[in-house]
Amino acid sequence: MEAAAAPGREAPARTASQPSGCGKHNSPERKVYMDYNATTPLEPEVIQAVTEAMWEAWGNPSSPYPAEVTFVPVSKASGRAEVDDILAAVRPTTRLVSIMLANNETGVIMPVPEISQRIKALNQERAAAGLPPILVHTDAAQALGKRRVDVEDLGVDFLTIVGHKFYGPRIGALYARGLGGCTLLYPMLFGGGQEQNFRPGTENTPMIAGLGKAAELVTQNWEAYEAHMRDIRDYLEERLEAEFGQKRIHLNSQFPGTERLPNTCNFSIRGPRLQGRMVLAQCQVLMASVGAACHSDHGDQPSPVLLNSGVPFDVARNALRLSVGRSTTRAEVDLVVQDLKQAVAQLEDQA
């Protein structure tokens, strides 16, 4: 549920977290963007790749098919979908298991390698019983660019990536293992023969070029990206607890023994008038979300993700999701925490 649109850049060299028209740190006009799970700006190299493709490569939604779906809830102890629960939900007619690699609200990493291994073993039993194999798909949109993502390690048949989640253009791609052999894929739309007859329509060459460059940068620099974001995220959580107190801050995305994304901090400030949207509305510096940008139609209702993860209702409705980026600084964290303190003070003074 996105509270503000991402800032633009004045020039390709501008840092990702500094919106157009920003002044110095002490300027009241300064804004700090901490909604990188919603979207990221384009890297200068990506802009260059897109521009070159527009100059040099300028040549020339879904069908309503039915499917039965079984939804597996996450564990309230770990915040993730557990392997045994997924296997228990498999039926003789099951053909696909689809799971996020990392949740976009909590940052919790799902046990995708274990799921793939268990499904592979199950497929051997199904083959002996004359049942069709089960394929595994993971949505890696939030994970790519923040941690190592390797389809061989994950063992999946399909993997989805989304460019604008890792400083690329708003275009996506689907990885398919052994296409045409062990992994069957059929088109849902028909027309031209583009993309090996899987999706008709002229390819968007500039955006494809930009996606390729963004992926190349991730491949080369993911360790540095991850280390920086983890440092800033940890510093943010330390500052929140220091300013508001550990009893007042509830870190919604921390589960014992569960791995999470290095850039995501989902937290609540306890208080009857401190619903996430109300806090953000009072902020003068912070631009962030109360949850997933794609679920902004939920209004003031608490995030179903948090509720299903065992976060109490009164805590979940106060949730804020801050997601830092490659260029977010500790100085910006300090600005954000002070901005939150002032917002909370204003709301409590109105009580």
Side-chain angles (χ1 to χ4, degrees), residues 218-253:
V218 165
T219 301
Q220 296 170 350
N221 303 299
W222 71 267
E223 290 175 302
Y225 294 157
E226 180 179 11
H228 172 75
M229 288 186 284
R230 187 182 306 279
D231 175 73
I232 298 298
R233 190 274 313 276
D234 290 348
Y235 179 70
L236 169 62
E237 293 181 347
E238 291 171 6
R239 295 292 298 122
L240 287 170
E241 290 185 331
E243 292 294 337
F244 291 97
Q246 291 187 350
K247 292 184 178 180
R248 200 166 187 204
I249 287 289
H250 187 275
L251 298 175
N252 302 320
S253 53

Side-chain angles (χ1 to χ4, degrees), residues 283-334:
C283 287
Q284 301 299 310
V285 173
L286 174 63
M287 293 186 291
S289 298
V290 297
C294 52
H295 295 157
S296 58
D297 59 344
H298 286 170
D300 292 327
Q301 291 298 311
S303 162
V305 171
L306 296 183
L307 294 177
N308 290 335
S309 299
V311 178
F313 184 94
D314 289 344
V315 176
R317 69 178 181 177
N318 288 14
L320 294 170
R321 182 194 69 175
L322 273 57
S323 45
V324 304
R326 298 174 187 174
S327 60
T328 309
T329 65
R330 288 192 171 207
E332 290 175 330
V333 169
D334 292 336

Side-chain angles (χ1 to χ4, degrees), residues 48-59 206:
Q48 181 179 355
V50 171
T51 303
E52 290 175 355
M54 286 183 171
W55 278 109
E56 301 172 7
W58 48 266

Side-chain angles (χ1 to χ4, degrees), residues 22-37:
C22 285
K24 297 180 180 178
H25 287 288
N26 58 359
S27 169
E29 298 299 321
R30 179 172 174 78
K31 300 287 186 180
V32 175
Y33 184 69
M34 283 197 180
D35 205 12
Y36 287 90
N37 280 8

Side-chain angles (χ1 to χ4, degrees), residues 56-108:
E56 301 172 7
W58 48 266
N60 203 23
S62 304
S63 298
Y65 296 127
E68 294 183 27
V69 179
T70 301
F71 293 95
V72 178
V74 298
S75 165
K76 289 179 169 55
S78 66
R80 68 180 196 170
E82 298 295 357
V83 180
D84 288 341
D85 294 336
I86 292 173
L87 269 292
V90 169
R91 297 174 293 178
T93 55
T94 300
R95 296 302 308 273
L96 178 71
V97 170
S98 181
I99 185 169
M100 305 173 80
L101 180 53
N103 186 269
N104 52 329
E105 292 190 46
T106 63
V108 168

Side-chain angles (χ1 to χ4, degrees), residues 7-22 41-48 51 167 327:
R9 296 183 180 212
E10 291 180 349
R14 177 173 287 280
T15 60
S17 58
Q18 185 176 8
S20 300
C22 285
L42 273 66
E43 286 282 9
E45 295 93 337
V46 174
I47 296 175
Q48 181 179 355
T51 303
Y167 293 74
S327 60

